[in-house]
Amino acid sequence: MRWALVKVCVAVTAMVVVAFAVPLGLTVKEMARDRAIGNAERQAAAIGPALAITTDRVQLERAVASTQAGADGRIAVSVPATEGTDGVRIGRPHAPGADVERASRLGRAATVPVPGGYALLQPTAVGSGSVAVVEVYVPDGEVTRGVTTAWAVLAAVGVGLIIGAVAVADRLGTRMVGPAKRLADAANGLGRGDLTVRVPEDGPPELRSAAVAFNAMADQVVQLLANERELAADLSHRLRTPLTVLRLNAASLGDGPAGEQTRHAVAQLEREVDQIIRTARAQQAQDKPVAVGCDAAAVIRERMAFWSALAEDQGREARTAGVDRPVRVPVARADLVASLDAMLGNVFRHTPEGTAFAVDVHSGEDAVIVLVSDAGPGINDPSAAMRRGQGAGGDGSTGLGLDIVRRLAESTGGDVRIGSSVLGGAEIRVWIALRPYASGGKRTHRVVRRRRGRRPAGARPAG
């Protein structure tokens, strides 16, 4: 496209230059000829007064020599003979005698071509009643004086116009072809699976519209894939909740064959669900987070209502605080649900029946803190528990429970910390930032407690 545009501009500019330069050059040539002939007419007219007075050779030669053309030997005078007078010939004529006689007979000036130039024949009446002819020779150099320079200037202007047109066409072609090439490269990259490729929205309006449409399409593709992977991970992880209930119920079946088979089937199902979660999360790690939000208070009330049935069966006391009014957080509802289920599931899996637990929400100007605490044995090595969130958590655990929570917090610029709760057991503190912090800034968050419980012996690991 770029070279085609350049060729078109060169062709159009060349035609325009030819259409204007050739007539202009011919006009300059004609003007130079008219200027030379006009100068010759003035030279011939300078001899007229002398011819009107006398036909004496000496006097005529003196008159001819007084002119510029006569001094250069380019004027010839022919006075025809009459009765009682002889004809006079001065100078070297260039025109044929027939042309001179015709000009004398007709009494009309004429310009005839002669070898090396032109001859101006100017009839002039003399005192004897005859008509003399003054011939002024105009060489080709006089006729074409300045024409070559004019043609050179016109050619230079034409070449300059063509070069300028090529530069402008190349610039326009680059401006058009560059965005089109980037759009094609981006389309090829997206086709190869590079979901991060985007196109700068520049160039002509049509290409800008195409770039905007492509970027919107790429964003939609990324969003659809992220939603698909997120849905697979969330649905798989939500299966962990009923599986926990099944596993707890299977534990009460005793040591018979039926109970053993049920526990084995539940364990096998948990491993399959764990594998699905790992695969989905591994793919999801490459996706960009989507800016969404939800009401954390509403989500906590809903999940506590879900877990309260199992808590009642196991004799657990459950309480909530800070959920009586809306608390907006910049995370997806599905992510918050998965994180709460992961933390509450850990409480049911790793603490004895009858252990109390609580979920508190503390909202501030910069962040929202969600505290999940229990009265169990606690976590003996919080740092190891957090490291485990990045890998496998041992038999019966994917190690993704705290990893899901950590991802949710870090997606907002927050973090997750494990400590001791006021109930005497473990406390998982999720810091959800409401707005990003400046690079290099330090986050300081502290929850004021009425008292610190004492961790009992036999602390539990994190699941």
Side-chain angles (χ1 to χ4, degrees):
M1 181 186 295
R2 177 182 175 185
W3 288 113
L5 184 61
V6 170
K7 291 176 182 178
V8 170
C9 286
V10 168
V12 172
T13 306
M15 289 189 293
V16 172
V17 168
V18 170
F20 283 93
V22 172
L24 186 59
L26 294 177
T27 301
V28 170
K29 181 180 179 181
E30 188 66 22
M31 291 176 61
R33 180 179 180 277
D34 292 343
R35 183 180 63 250
I37 297 301
N39 185 49
E41 290 176 350
R42 289 192 295 274
Q43 298 288 329
I47 307 298
L51 288 172
I53 297 173
T54 180
T55 57
D56 181 67
R57 173 182 293 276
V58 176
Q59 296 295 329
L60 291 178
E61 287 179 349
R62 187 177 297 123
V64 169
S66 64
T67 63
Q68 181 180 357
D72 295 337
R74 294 189 288 110
I75 293 182
V77 179
S78 175
V79 180
T82 60
E83 293 181 3
T85 61
D86 297 329
V88 178
R89 297 286 186 274
I90 299 174
R92 184 171 65 86
H94 292 78
D99 292 332
V100 174
E101 292 178 1
R102 184 181 304 108
S104 177
R105 185 177 66 254
L106 297 177
R108 189 168 57 220
T111 301
V112 296
V114 296
Y118 295 88
L120 172 66
L121 304 178
Q122 180 67 49
T124 302
V126 296
S128 60
S130 60
V131 177
V133 176
V134 179
E135 175 189 327
V136 180
Y137 173 65
V138 182
D140 287 334
E142 290 289 331
V143 175
T144 60
R145 179 178 296 176
V147 175
T148 302
T149 302
W151 277 101
V153 171
L154 291 175
V157 171
V159 172
L161 289 175
I162 293 176
I163 293 175
V166 169
V168 172
D170 183 72
R171 180 64 179 172
L172 292 176
T174 301
R175 188 169 178 264
M176 294 177 60
V177 173
K181 186 175 183 300
R182 288 194 294 270
L183 184 61
D185 293 341
N188 291 330
L190 186 63
R192 290 192 298 268
D194 184 5
L195 301 181
T196 63
V197 64
R198 294 295 183 274
V199 182
E201 298 173 2
D202 56 7
E206 294 80 5
L207 291 178
R208 282 202 303 270
S209 299
V212 170
F214 177 86
N215 291 338
M217 178 194 68
D219 292 338
Q220 186 66 19
V221 169
V222 171
Q223 182 64 51
L224 291 175
L225 290 176
N227 291 342
E228 179 183 353
R229 293 169 183 171
E230 183 68 23
L231 180 61
D234 288 344
L235 291 178
S236 300
H237 196 273
R238 288 173 188 177
L239 292 176
R240 295 292 302 275
T241 300
L243 284 176
T244 299
V245 178
L246 288 176
R247 184 165 60 82
L248 294 175
N249 290 336
S252 63
L253 294 179
D255 297 332
E260 187 63 29
Q261 291 176 0
T262 302
R263 286 189 289 272
H264 178 74
V266 171
Q268 178 65 26
L269 184 57
E270 281 187 327
R271 285 193 293 271
E272 296 296 334
V273 171
D274 293 344
Q275 183 60 37
I276 294 175
I277 295 174
R278 289 192 183 96
T279 303
R281 289 299 184 187
Q283 293 176 340
Q284 193 182 25
Q286 302 299 325
D287 295 338
K288 295 173 64 176
V290 181
V292 291
C294 68
D295 183 1
V299 173
I300 292 173
R301 289 196 302 267
E302 175 190 325
R303 301 319 298 163
M304 288 297 287
F306 173 83
W307 287 95
S308 62
L310 183 58
E312 184 178 353
D313 291 341
Q314 296 186 0
R316 298 177 182 268
E317 179 186 354
R319 70 167 182 83
T320 58
V323 296
D324 53 340
R325 54 188 175 84
V327 180
R328 297 294 302 180
V329 291
V331 296
R333 177 184 176 86
D335 289 341
L336 186 57
V337 169
S339 299
L340 285 172
D341 285 345
M343 291 185 288
L344 294 175
N346 280 341
V347 173
F348 280 85
R349 279 194 298 271
H350 299 296
T351 62
E353 294 185 9
T355 301
F357 66 95
V359 178
D360 299 330
V361 178
H362 302 269
S363 58
E365 295 182 358
D366 298 330
V368 171
I369 300 176
V370 178
L371 301 175
V372 178
S373 54
D374 60 66
I379 299 176
N380 55 3
D381 191 350
S383 60
M386 292 304 298
R387 287 197 301 270
R388 183 188 298 177
Q390 302 174 4
D395 192 18
S397 174
T398 62
L400 287 173
L402 290 181
D403 184 57
I404 293 174
V405 180
R406 179 180 60 82
R407 283 176 179 273
L408 176 134
E410 291 181 352
S411 68
T412 67
D415 60 14
V416 177
R417 297 186 183 182
I418 299 176
S420 300
S421 72
V422 295
L423 298 179
E427 175 188 86
I428 300 177
R429 178 173 51 192
V430 184
W431 171 276
I432 301 175
L434 298 181
R435 55 176 176 264
Y437 288 84
S439 178
K442 300 180 72 175
R443 294 191 303 266
T444 59
H445 50 91
R446 181 171 58 90
V447 177
V448 179
R449 298 181 177 84
R450 296 184 301 273
R451 61 183 179 85
R452 177 173 294 275
R454 185 166 173 262
R455 182 183 303 169
R460 63 178 173 90

